Amino acid sequence: MIAPIKSLSMNEVEQCVKSAGLPSFRTQQILSWLYQKNVSSYDQMTNVPKVAREQFKELYPLHTPSTVDKQVSVDGSRKYLLELHDGALIETVGLPSSDGRLTVCISSQSGCSMNCSFCATGKAGLTRSLDPGEFVDQIHIVQEDFENRVTNVVVMGQGEPFANYDNTLSALRIINHPKLLNIGARHITVSTCGLLKGIERFTQEPEQFTLAVSLHAARQEVRDEIMPRMSSQPLEKLKEVLAGYTEGTGRRFSFEYALMRDVNDTEKDLQALISYCRGMLCHVNLIPLNYIDDSPIKPVKRQVMDYWKAQLDNAGIACSIRASKGSDIAAACGQLAYKRR
Ligand code: SAH
């Protein structure tokens, strides 16, 4: 069966090497050409015998995305519009920080099917899920453009990673592998809108990847309104599954809460958030809502965010206000709609 090489997990590449009758050390060679040296054709894999290269070329085509647009923000972050081999478009963001870290925000799908009312990505629907190698390509593109090593990866671009669970995990393993990208598991964060099965599976994974959950409301009726696709996965159940995560991993997760004026910003919402978080090993990230074209939903004033932070602090709930980068180039959370300029 013909399949793009980047649609395969590391184990599957190993199987391909076996079925081609090649010695097992070829697996690591091929993986390292693909994901460490980032070659764009089999011909560049000079230590792999020509016959094997020809065979792989036929069976497992090698594609690389092309950068069709790049925008640079005043704060130094850069947004890339990438076109995949079948024409699907995704966005990736490089976020440098003054302490020398370089974080890449990668997409897990082209578009998204979750349809959250405040997010630009969902408006256009889902095109398709990404293959493992397509996650990794995004990191290489940013790394090469910044001429600097990527230190952190957040799966917070387009798409819902747990709606593409297997490929997400296959990708994270390549990114984490000491002989490939070698980015520490704790420096890799996956953000989900709260798909319960995904969180349960994630709890069982041996690596110490970091988990973030987009909460945005601790009152069920409010969450149903703004995250309609999550109404079948209620907050009570989410809480149980997250308790299982903490018990299973001993690790803290974070909640993302974008404050939206007259939507999820009342005293009642705040008290609901406090009581929801009480007793959980969590960190709350309050996010200023980024403006999206044609959306009636508006951000809150800075004083409201400060008030929420103070109240959460008082209640003993770990919390920070996240600075939003790249909003001038529509690269901030929820603004990654793949429209061309
Ligand atoms: N689907 C995953 C991954 C996307 S992460 C998830 O929902 O977690 C992108 C983050 O930006 C999510 O927390 C998302 O809820 C948030 N977001 C979406 N639209 C936003 C907006 N307009 N302003 C601020 N944050 C937003």
Side-chain angles (χ1 to χ4, degrees), residues 184-214:
R186 289 161 186 250
H187 297 157
I188 303 174
T189 302
V190 182
S191 179
T192 176
C193 60
L195 297 183
L196 303 175
K197 286 230 163 59
I199 300 172
E200 281 168 348
R201 288 182 69 185
F202 204 61
T203 302
Q204 305 300 322
E205 305 295 354
E207 296 90 352
Q208 302 198 317
F209 300 128
T210 303
L211 175 69
V213 177
S214 297

Short mmCIF file of all heavy atoms in Angstrom, two decimals, residues 184-214:
data_model
loop_
_atom_site.label_atom_id
_atom_site.label_comp_id
_atom_site.label_asym_id
_atom_site.label_seq_id
_atom_site.Cartn_x
_atom_site.Cartn_y
_atom_site.Cartn_z
N GLY A 184 12.37 18.20 25.32
CA GLY A 184 11.92 17.50 26.53
C GLY A 184 10.39 17.47 26.64
O GLY A 184 9.72 18.45 26.31
N ALA A 185 9.88 16.35 27.11
CA ALA A 185 8.41 16.17 27.19
C ALA A 185 7.75 17.30 27.99
O ALA A 185 6.67 17.77 27.64
CB ALA A 185 8.09 14.82 27.81
N ARG A 186 8.41 17.74 29.05
CA ARG A 186 7.80 18.81 29.86
C ARG A 186 7.75 20.14 29.11
O ARG A 186 7.07 21.07 29.54
CB ARG A 186 8.60 19.02 31.14
CG ARG A 186 8.45 17.88 32.13
CD ARG A 186 9.59 17.94 33.11
NE ARG A 186 9.58 16.79 34.00
CZ ARG A 186 9.29 16.86 35.29
NH1 ARG A 186 8.98 18.00 35.85
NH2 ARG A 186 9.31 15.77 36.03
N HIS A 187 8.50 20.23 28.03
CA HIS A 187 8.47 21.45 27.22
C HIS A 187 7.51 21.33 26.03
O HIS A 187 7.54 22.14 25.12
CB HIS A 187 9.88 21.79 26.73
CG HIS A 187 10.81 22.11 27.85
ND1 HIS A 187 12.18 22.00 27.74
CD2 HIS A 187 10.57 22.54 29.12
CE1 HIS A 187 12.73 22.34 28.90
NE2 HIS A 187 11.77 22.67 29.74
N ILE A 188 6.71 20.27 26.06
CA ILE A 188 5.74 20.05 24.98
C ILE A 188 4.34 20.06 25.61
O ILE A 188 4.06 19.26 26.50
CB ILE A 188 6.00 18.70 24.28
CG1 ILE A 188 7.43 18.64 23.73
CG2 ILE A 188 4.96 18.47 23.18
CD1 ILE A 188 7.81 17.26 23.15
N THR A 189 3.50 20.98 25.18
CA THR A 189 2.17 21.12 25.77
C THR A 189 1.09 20.85 24.74
O THR A 189 1.15 21.37 23.62
CB THR A 189 1.97 22.55 26.34
OG1 THR A 189 2.99 22.78 27.30
CG2 THR A 189 0.60 22.72 26.98
N VAL A 190 0.11 20.04 25.13
CA VAL A 190 -1.04 19.80 24.25
C VAL A 190 -2.26 20.45 24.88
O VAL A 190 -2.53 20.26 26.06
CB VAL A 190 -1.32 18.28 24.12
CG1 VAL A 190 -2.49 18.04 23.17
CG2 VAL A 190 -0.09 17.55 23.62
N SER A 191 -2.97 21.22 24.08
CA SER A 191 -4.18 21.87 24.58
C SER A 191 -5.40 21.23 23.94
O SER A 191 -5.47 21.07 22.73
CB SER A 191 -4.13 23.36 24.24
OG SER A 191 -5.30 24.00 24.70
N THR A 192 -6.37 20.87 24.79
CA THR A 192 -7.60 20.26 24.28
C THR A 192 -8.80 21.06 24.75
O THR A 192 -8.76 21.69 25.81
CB THR A 192 -7.75 18.80 24.78
OG1 THR A 192 -9.01 18.28 24.32
CG2 THR A 192 -7.69 18.69 26.29
N CYS A 193 -9.87 20.99 23.97
CA CYS A 193 -11.11 21.64 24.41
C CYS A 193 -11.79 20.79 25.47
O CYS A 193 -12.84 21.17 25.98
CB CYS A 193 -12.02 21.89 23.22
SG CYS A 193 -12.48 20.40 22.36
N GLY A 194 -11.21 19.64 25.79
CA GLY A 194 -11.74 18.83 26.90
C GLY A 194 -12.33 17.50 26.46
O GLY A 194 -13.24 16.98 27.13
N LEU A 195 -11.84 16.92 25.39
CA LEU A 195 -12.35 15.61 24.95
C LEU A 195 -11.95 14.55 25.98
O LEU A 195 -10.77 14.28 26.19
CB LEU A 195 -11.83 15.25 23.55
CG LEU A 195 -12.28 16.19 22.42
CD1 LEU A 195 -11.75 15.70 21.07
CD2 LEU A 195 -13.80 16.33 22.38
N LEU A 196 -12.97 13.99 26.64
CA LEU A 196 -12.72 13.15 27.82
C LEU A 196 -11.90 11.91 27.50
O LEU A 196 -10.97 11.56 28.22
CB LEU A 196 -14.06 12.76 28.46
CG LEU A 196 -14.95 13.94 28.87
CD1 LEU A 196 -16.30 13.45 29.37
CD2 LEU A 196 -14.26 14.80 29.91
N LYS A 197 -12.26 11.25 26.40
CA LYS A 197 -11.52 10.02 26.04
C LYS A 197 -10.05 10.34 25.79
O LYS A 197 -9.17 9.55 26.15
CB LYS A 197 -12.11 9.40 24.76
CG LYS A 197 -13.43 8.73 24.99
CD LYS A 197 -13.42 7.30 24.40
CE LYS A 197 -14.56 6.48 24.96
NZ LYS A 197 -15.89 7.11 24.68
N GLY A 198 -9.79 11.46 25.17
CA GLY A 198 -8.42 11.88 24.89
C GLY A 198 -7.64 12.10 26.18
O GLY A 198 -6.50 11.66 26.32
N ILE A 199 -8.28 12.78 27.13
CA ILE A 199 -7.59 13.05 28.41
C ILE A 199 -7.31 11.73 29.12
O ILE A 199 -6.23 11.53 29.69
CB ILE A 199 -8.41 14.01 29.30
CG1 ILE A 199 -8.62 15.36 28.58
CG2 ILE A 199 -7.71 14.23 30.65
CD1 ILE A 199 -9.57 16.31 29.28
N GLU A 200 -8.28 10.81 29.05
CA GLU A 200 -8.08 9.51 29.70
C GLU A 200 -6.90 8.75 29.08
O GLU A 200 -6.08 8.17 29.78
CB GLU A 200 -9.35 8.66 29.61
CG GLU A 200 -10.38 9.07 30.64
CD GLU A 200 -11.76 8.47 30.41
OE1 GLU A 200 -12.01 7.92 29.32
OE2 GLU A 200 -12.60 8.58 31.32
N ARG A 201 -6.82 8.80 27.77
CA ARG A 201 -5.69 8.12 27.11
C ARG A 201 -4.38 8.81 27.44
O ARG A 201 -3.37 8.16 27.68
CB ARG A 201 -5.89 8.11 25.58
CG ARG A 201 -6.99 7.15 25.14
CD ARG A 201 -7.12 7.14 23.63
NE ARG A 201 -5.97 6.52 22.97
CZ ARG A 201 -5.81 6.47 21.64
NH1 ARG A 201 -6.72 7.02 20.85
NH2 ARG A 201 -4.76 5.88 21.12
N PHE A 202 -4.41 10.13 27.44
CA PHE A 202 -3.21 10.94 27.70
C PHE A 202 -2.65 10.62 29.10
O PHE A 202 -1.44 10.63 29.31
CB PHE A 202 -3.58 12.41 27.58
CG PHE A 202 -2.43 13.33 27.26
CD1 PHE A 202 -1.70 13.18 26.10
CD2 PHE A 202 -2.10 14.37 28.12
CE1 PHE A 202 -0.65 14.04 25.79
CE2 PHE A 202 -1.05 15.25 27.82
CZ PHE A 202 -0.33 15.07 26.66
N THR A 203 -3.57 10.36 30.03
CA THR A 203 -3.19 10.01 31.40
C THR A 203 -2.31 8.76 31.43
O THR A 203 -1.44 8.62 32.28
CB THR A 203 -4.48 9.77 32.24
OG1 THR A 203 -5.26 10.97 32.19
CG2 THR A 203 -4.18 9.41 33.68
N GLN A 204 -2.58 7.86 30.48
CA GLN A 204 -1.87 6.57 30.47
C GLN A 204 -0.51 6.63 29.76
O GLN A 204 0.24 5.67 29.82
CB GLN A 204 -2.72 5.50 29.74
CG GLN A 204 -4.13 5.30 30.30
CD GLN A 204 -4.12 4.89 31.75
OE1 GLN A 204 -3.26 4.11 32.17
NE2 GLN A 204 -5.06 5.43 32.54
N GLU A 205 -0.23 7.71 29.05
CA GLU A 205 1.01 7.75 28.28
C GLU A 205 2.21 7.86 29.23
O GLU A 205 2.14 8.58 30.22
CB GLU A 205 1.02 8.95 27.30
CG GLU A 205 -0.18 9.02 26.35
CD GLU A 205 -0.25 7.87 25.35
OE1 GLU A 205 0.69 7.05 25.30
OE2 GLU A 205 -1.27 7.78 24.64
N PRO A 206 3.30 7.19 28.90
CA PRO A 206 4.44 7.20 29.81
C PRO A 206 5.22 8.53 29.84
O PRO A 206 5.86 8.84 30.84
CB PRO A 206 5.34 6.07 29.27
CG PRO A 206 4.93 5.89 27.84
CD PRO A 206 3.48 6.27 27.76
N GLU A 207 5.15 9.31 28.77
CA GLU A 207 5.94 10.55 28.73
C GLU A 207 5.29 11.64 29.58
O GLU A 207 4.09 11.65 29.76
CB GLU A 207 6.07 11.07 27.29
CG GLU A 207 6.83 10.16 26.35
CD GLU A 207 5.94 9.15 25.63
OE1 GLU A 207 4.73 9.05 25.98
OE2 GLU A 207 6.44 8.45 24.73
N GLN A 208 6.13 12.58 30.02
CA GLN A 208 5.60 13.66 30.87
C GLN A 208 5.18 14.89 30.06
O GLN A 208 5.56 16.01 30.39
CB GLN A 208 6.65 14.06 31.89
CG GLN A 208 7.07 12.88 32.77
CD GLN A 208 7.76 13.34 34.03
OE1 GLN A 208 8.59 14.25 33.99
NE2 GLN A 208 7.41 12.75 35.15
N PHE A 209 4.43 14.68 29.00
CA PHE A 209 3.92 15.81 28.23
C PHE A 209 2.99 16.63 29.11
O PHE A 209 2.36 16.11 30.02
CB PHE A 209 3.15 15.32 26.99
CG PHE A 209 3.97 14.49 26.04
CD1 PHE A 209 3.51 13.24 25.61
CD2 PHE A 209 5.18 14.95 25.55
CE1 PHE A 209 4.27 12.47 24.73
CE2 PHE A 209 5.94 14.20 24.66
CZ PHE A 209 5.47 12.95 24.25
N THR A 210 2.89 17.92 28.80
CA THR A 210 2.06 18.81 29.60
C THR A 210 0.66 18.95 29.00
O THR A 210 0.51 18.97 27.78
CB THR A 210 2.76 20.19 29.68
OG1 THR A 210 4.06 19.99 30.24
CG2 THR A 210 2.01 21.17 30.54
N LEU A 211 -0.33 19.05 29.87
CA LEU A 211 -1.72 19.14 29.41
C LEU A 211 -2.33 20.50 29.74
O LEU A 211 -2.17 21.01 30.85
CB LEU A 211 -2.55 18.04 30.10
CG LEU A 211 -4.06 18.04 29.84
CD1 LEU A 211 -4.37 17.65 28.39
CD2 LEU A 211 -4.78 17.08 30.80
N ALA A 212 -3.02 21.07 28.76
CA ALA A 212 -3.80 22.29 28.99
C ALA A 212 -5.23 22.01 28.53
O ALA A 212 -5.44 21.30 27.55
CB ALA A 212 -3.20 23.45 28.21
N VAL A 213 -6.20 22.56 29.27
CA VAL A 213 -7.60 22.33 28.92
C VAL A 213 -8.29 23.68 28.73
O VAL A 213 -8.21 24.55 29.60
CB VAL A 213 -8.32 21.52 30.03
CG1 VAL A 213 -9.79 21.34 29.71
CG2 VAL A 213 -7.65 20.15 30.23
N SER A 214 -8.93 23.85 27.59
CA SER A 214 -9.67 25.08 27.33
C SER A 214 -10.99 25.00 28.06
O SER A 214 -11.89 24.27 27.65
CB SER A 214 -9.89 25.25 25.83
OG SER A 214 -8.66 25.37 25.18
#
